[in-house]
Amino acid sequence: MTSTAPAQAGVGNDSIVRKLSTLDRYLAVWILLAMAIGLGLGRLIPGMGDALAKVEIGGISLPIAIGLLVMMYPVLAKVRYDKLDTVTGDKKLMLSSLVINWVVGPAVMFALAWIFLPDLPAYRTGLIIVGLARCIAMVIIWNDLACGDREAAAVLVALNSVFQVFAFGLLGWFYLDLLPQWLGLGDGQGLDVSVWHIALNVIVFLGIPLVAGFLTRRLGEKKLGRGRYESDFLPKIGPWALYGLLFTIVILFALQGKTITSQPVDVIRIALPLLVYFAVMFFGTFLLGKGLGLAYDRTATLAFTAAGNNFELAIAVAIATFGVTSGQALSGVVGPLIEVPVLIGLVYVALAWRKRFAADAVTAAP
């Protein structure tokens, strides 16, 4: 995705669109086609979902892992790792991200799950699990497409990963067991997930592409120099991020195509709180970033890392704890069904707001 690099301040969205390749310009179309192809394959080819589900290592789907690694590597190879200290020094950004992701996000999903699904405990539990799994993968792509801060995205995703290892199980106990009993909502449902499984998820989906991207940047600049590395090498690997994304979407929906298409009413009921959740988290965080005085690129990064979720982990935990045919697993599967098209739509919303940020900056200038 060579054309997704942030443009210089003051450049309008029209110029951004003109620079996009055909592959990037019609990204929403390719994503919808990938979803349709995946659903069709899962529905029309008997046993395909089961066959794909069996190709796993340590509870992690190998096809999905390959797709995500291919997707994330080119973007992480673009990160300027020598600039990360400017991100870690931004206390407003770091603190806001922690609070939004690990306090606000799970609480919002818990509330929406109970409001929309009071009579469907299995689906409700599945949604709460999705809310606990903070995004560490696809958010890299959404942020890059929206011209967010790549370095900030790398730092915030790494921060989420660390907290995910230690906080996921604890928050699962709090929101699925303790809090429902405190509020008189009945007995909770346990969550059986090991710290090792979460750590393995983080290592595979973030650690491997992060190390590969860092080494590529360091060795590439040493051999070619920064100028040639960014002008010659990065454009060659850039499109593979999109290929990886589309491949992942096809596999993901092929795995659960039959389940999704055979239960449309249930899918709609699960989708409604998810739509509200993405809207609340994205727009609320975007307004917060603007109110804190963050620049557009970091505001966009903050908003996308808040709105995205780690559906790979959520689905794996739901299946391991409640079974592959459970309502909890279906909620996890519906997550990306809604998240993917919604967040690609929010990319366009963010780019439209980019002009407003630039106009405000000019107005505020002395």
Side-chain angles (χ1 to χ4, degrees), residues 3 15-16 66 74 91 136 147 162 165 174 200 203 219 338 363:
S3 54
S15 63
I16 295 174
I66 292 172
K91 292 182 174 56
I136 64 171
C147 297
V162 173
V165 172
F174 178 76
L200 180 62
I203 290 170
L219 297 175
I338 306 303
T363 302

Side-chain angles (χ1 to χ4, degrees), residues 292-311:
L292 291 173
L294 298 177
Y296 165 81
D297 55 353
R298 291 195 174 176
T299 298
T301 299
L302 187 64
F304 279 104
T305 52
N309 293 89
N310 185 353
F311 58 81

Side-chain angles (χ1 to χ4, degrees), residues 109-147:
M109 188 67 91
F110 175 84
L112 291 173
W114 275 97
I115 290 170
F116 282 87
L117 302 169
D119 58 327
L120 297 170
Y123 295 158
R124 185 176 64 236
T125 297
L127 279 184
I128 293 172
I129 293 172
V130 170
L132 300 179
R134 312 313 298 170
C135 195
I136 64 171
M138 279 195 177
V139 69
I140 296 286
I141 289 290
W142 311 136
N143 177 75
D144 209 47
L145 288 169
C147 297

Side-chain angles (χ1 to χ4, degrees), residues 47-55 254-255 324:
M48 182 174 185
D50 294 336
L52 288 172
K54 291 178 182 178
V55 185
L255 279 166
V324 69

